[in-house]
């Protein structure tokens, strides 16, 4: 079993930056970690994912809407995954959820909610215009 706890949400001005963190605990190593977000009245959508390939090698995947602005990274020693968000706009406002799984995913398989069995409670990001 894995527990995921997000932090770092809050209010940010449009054009600003914010970094979200997700701390994982438990006996299972989560090879695949991801961020999803859900705005009011909308479906939960994929934001970014990172898979550990051994050593310092990771594969990363991004939704088109955040590519070039968001960066996902992980620190396995701290069991933590990060989402650095730059140039935020009001459309980025949502509850952000951390997800993870000990099963490996590749390519578009990492975009699916079904790829992740473990989920955090979410952290809210509000963007003021």
């Amino acid at each position: 079993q894995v527990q995921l706890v997000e932090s770092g949400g809050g209010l940010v001005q449009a054009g600003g930056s914010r970094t979200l963190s997700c701390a994982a605990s438990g006996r299972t190593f989560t090879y695949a970690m991801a961020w999803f977000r859900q705005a009011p009245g909308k479906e939960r959508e994929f934001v970014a994912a990172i898979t550990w390939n051994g050593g310092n090698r990771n594969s990363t995947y991004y939704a088109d809407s955040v590519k070039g602005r968001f960066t996902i990274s992980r620190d396995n020693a701290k069991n933590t995954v990060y989402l650095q968000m730059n140039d935020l706009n009001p459309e980025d406002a949502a509850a952000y959820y951390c997800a993870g799984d000990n099963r490996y995913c590749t390519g578009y398989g990492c975009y699916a909610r079904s790829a992740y069995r473990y989920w955090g409670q979410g952290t809210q990001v509000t963007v003021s215009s």
Side-chain angles (χ1 to χ4, degrees):
Q1 192 71 8
V2 175
Q3 293 78 43
L4 302 175
V5 179
E6 304 98 334
S7 61
L11 176 65
V12 61
Q13 288 188 329
S17 298
R18 198 83 179 183
T19 299
L20 304 181
S21 300
C22 173
S25 61
R27 296 184 177 183
T28 300
F29 181 79
T30 47
Y31 288 94
M33 297 289 293
W35 289 94
F36 288 74
R37 66 186 182 187
Q38 187 169 16
K42 295 187 176 182
E43 293 284 323
R44 190 171 298 189
E45 65 175 4
F46 171 79
V47 175
I50 186 166
T51 59
W52 183 61
N53 300 322
N56 292 321
R57 296 171 296 162
N58 296 289
S59 296
T60 56
Y61 309 91
Y62 296 94
D64 287 344
S65 60
V66 307
K67 200 171 295 183
R69 299 187 298 123
F70 290 13
T71 301
I72 189 170
S73 62
R74 66 190 296 163
D75 184 336
N76 290 338
K78 296 181 179 179
N79 291 326
T80 301
V81 64
Y82 304 94
L83 184 68
Q84 171 68 42
M85 305 183 293
N86 297 325
D87 193 21
L88 286 160
N89 58 63
E91 289 70 39
D92 296 314
Y96 282 71
Y97 296 90
C98 177
D101 205 285
N102 58 325
R103 300 172 299 184
Y104 194 71
C105 64
T106 58
Y108 286 108
C110 296
Y111 288 55
R113 291 169 57 181
S114 60
Y116 308 95
R117 288 177 291 182
Y118 308 114
W119 291 81
Q121 294 299 307
T123 186
Q124 183 69 39
V125 174
T126 303
V127 182
S128 63
S129 57

